[in-house]
Amino acid sequence: MRELTVSRRKFLAASAIGLGAAALSNFNLREASADGPTAPPPKPLGFAFVGIGGFAMGQLLPGITRAKYCKPVALVSGHPDKARAQARRYNIDPKNIYNYDNYDSIKDNPDIDVVYIVLPNSMHAEYTLRAFQAGKHVICEKPMAVSVKEAQQMVDAAKTAGKRLQIGYRMHFDSPTQACINAIRNGDIGPLQIIEAETGFRIGDPSQWRLNRKLSGGGCLMDIGIYSLSAARYLSGEEPTEVFAHTYGDASDPRFKEVEQNCDFQLKFPSGVLASCLSSYNANLNRYVAHGRNGRCILEPGQAYNGVKFQISKGRSLQAVDVPPLDQFSGEMDGFVQALAGNSPFKATGEEGLQDMRIIEAIYESARTGASVKV
Ligand code: NAD
């Protein structure tokens, strides 16, 4: 297989061109790289992490140490020992360790500019609203909430507080993903026809919060299928008008007593593009394919913390495209600070998360009723 290479400079320039054509205009990587040539560097902002579980400890705290414009300054946790150990590791002043009861007193701490919510899904809305009441900006993990109603409250609370809300959509800051979007927008595979988006993994411990409906809000669709949905939206650059879906759960499996095990859904877009999306808590799936009239683009793995691979076929053999990697985690945090400083547009906004929640509710309604649902 022949390999195409995109230089970092060319890639960033192409991303900027891609922005103009993209309907999802806030999905752009140039600013995500957070090193625009003319932008004066913003003052580093202090981040408080709320919930120090697997993702915060495994990805976000290491990620912020690679950021240029962010620093970890506070932790909010129900486990004081764990919080003290992480504070030592990241040089956080122990006086800036909070728990869920004294969380609201972050309002008196000027070191904290941004609160990053990394809690189970059903806690996102409450802790986001409390952060806005404390006068802080917020990044909240995906899915932003467990209902459209909550998501709307979060968007409204940001406006009332005069603060900004970003959702932890890290693929918006991934360079092979952006290169694929640019290729589609540039017409490299001809007019887009069909998108396939598959995401899933085999979930373990039946007692974890992801399998508890009250805490998760739903099953594989909420947790991993949201990536298939997001990919269908950013690859097409359109918003779906209609959805049709099925869900399935093996009632005899202790993992799937409360939430769905598998969800497949189809999306219809205004141009006629159709997306066929799969998500699963019981199969490993990780691939996006965009089929155009004259070729196809493949992202496989389609979503990963790093190492997303982009391949393109313009009617002939498939070619790997070598895209310079950019760090998703420092990228999303630096990107937010750059946007707050006025150096770049906001991406992965609360409104973008709210739109996903509207479509997710339509998907669940279709699966429940057996009928297609207009969005
Ligand atoms: P986790 O179970 O590893 O951590 C959850 C944290 O919440 C823990 O610190 C736990 O102590 C705390 N917590 C507080 N109240 C809790 C309660 N009632 N039940 C359970 N935990 C409670 O989960 P995680 O994988 O870190 O996920 C946290 C959030 O991050 C979720 O919204 C998830 O969707 C999101 N996430 C995003 C990505 C991504 O790639 N963007 C990856 C993983 C997780």
Side-chain angles (χ1 to χ4, degrees):
M1 193 192 315
R2 195 160 73 82
E3 189 159 289
L4 305 175
T5 301
V6 183
S7 75
R8 181 181 166 83
R9 208 158 150 213
K10 265 195 182 152
F11 169 70
L12 292 175
S15 297
I17 295 164
L19 175 69
L24 292 177
S25 59
N26 74 1
F27 194 110
N28 174 269
L29 201 79
R30 189 171 192 283
E31 295 75 17
S33 69
D35 63 355
T38 53
K43 168 183 150 293
L45 296 189
F47 276 57
F49 291 87
V50 186
I52 40 176
F55 187 56
M57 286 192 293
Q59 307 302 330
L60 297 178
L61 284 163
I64 199 170
T65 65
R66 300 187 294 268
K68 287 186 196 166
Y69 309 123
C70 319
K71 53 186 180 178
V73 297
L75 298 171
V76 182
S77 170
H79 302 271
D81 291 347
K82 185 164 69 169
R84 274 194 294 272
Q86 292 298 310
R88 270 194 304 277
R89 184 165 185 175
Y90 292 98
N91 210 15
I92 293 169
D93 189 333
K95 81 170 172 46
N96 287 351
I97 296 176
Y98 296 84
N99 57 46
Y100 300 120
D101 295 326
N102 65 15
Y103 171 60
D104 301 299
S105 62
I106 60 171
K107 72 174 187 312
D108 302 319
N109 190 334
D111 295 348
I112 302 170
D113 303 293
V114 179
V115 172
Y116 199 136
I117 313 284
V118 209
L119 291 165
N121 306 341
S122 67
M123 300 171 77
H124 290 180
E126 179 193 337
Y127 283 82
T128 295
L129 298 190
R130 285 167 68 181
F132 284 135
Q133 276 157 15
K136 311 298 179 185
H137 300 288
V138 176
I139 303 183
C140 177
E141 262 313 318
K142 47 55 62 178
M144 71 185 282
V146 296
S147 67
V148 171
K149 189 175 163 201
E150 280 185 355
Q152 185 70 60
Q153 284 170 349
M154 293 160 76
V155 167
D156 293 346
K159 288 197 183 114
T160 304
K163 298 289 166 182
R164 299 300 303 219
L165 172 61
Q166 180 171 301
I167 311 304
Y169 289 136
R170 59 187 165 75
M171 302 316 295
H172 286 50
F173 300 85
D174 178 71
S175 47
T177 301
Q178 183 64 54
C180 178
I181 293 166
N182 291 338
I184 295 169
R185 299 288 184 280
N186 291 341
D188 291 359
I189 57 169
L192 197 58
Q193 306 293 306
I194 297 265
I195 294 169
E196 302 167 66
E198 304 169 3
T199 45
F201 64 97
R202 294 198 61 198
I203 199 157
D205 178 10
S207 68
Q208 65 185 283
W209 67 261
R210 281 183 169 78
L211 299 170
N212 172 327
R213 175 169 293 280
K214 221 172 146 211
L215 288 169
S216 62
C220 59
L221 173 63
M222 292 292 278
D223 190 60
I224 189 75
I226 194 170
Y227 287 97
S228 294
L229 169 58
S230 192
R233 291 177 58 215
Y234 60 63
L235 293 174
S236 68
E238 296 185 67
E239 295 301 339
T241 53
E242 199 174 331
V243 307
F244 185 72
H246 293 99
T247 54
Y248 169 76
D250 176 355
S252 69
D253 188 323
R255 296 173 299 168
F256 307 120
K257 292 219 175 304
E258 297 191 14
V259 301
E260 80 278 0
Q261 164 184 346
N262 297 327
C263 175
D264 85 84
F265 56 97
Q266 290 81 52
L267 306 172
K268 189 172 173 188
F269 292 97
S271 67
V273 169
L274 300 177
S276 180
C277 304
L278 300 177
S279 69
S280 179
Y281 262 164
N282 213 25
N284 293 319
L285 306 168
N286 198 350
R287 175 179 153 99
Y288 307 144
V289 187
H291 298 271
R293 200 174 59 202
N294 310 323
R296 69 191 193 280
C297 288
I298 300 179
L299 289 168
E300 187 173 20
Q303 69 83 27
Y305 293 154
N306 52 58
V308 169
K309 297 263 181 302
F310 171 37
Q311 300 174 79
I312 189 166
S313 158
K314 298 178 189 173
R316 286 192 289 275
S317 62
L318 212 51
Q319 293 180 327
V321 185
D322 181 23
V323 183
L326 294 176
D327 187 301
Q328 294 167 13
F329 304 104
S330 58
E332 68 168 344
M333 289 184 263
D334 273 345
F336 191 47
V337 177
Q338 284 279 45
L340 289 169
N343 292 335
S344 63
F346 285 97
K347 291 177 290 293
T349 57
E351 284 79 3
E352 169 116 18
L354 172 61
Q355 175 65 357
D356 274 345
M357 289 309 306
R358 286 192 195 104
I359 302 166
I360 283 173
E361 281 198 355
I363 290 170
Y364 280 133
E365 184 186 337
S366 172
R368 204 172 48 246
T369 60
S372 69
V373 173
K374 301 255 188 263
V375 183

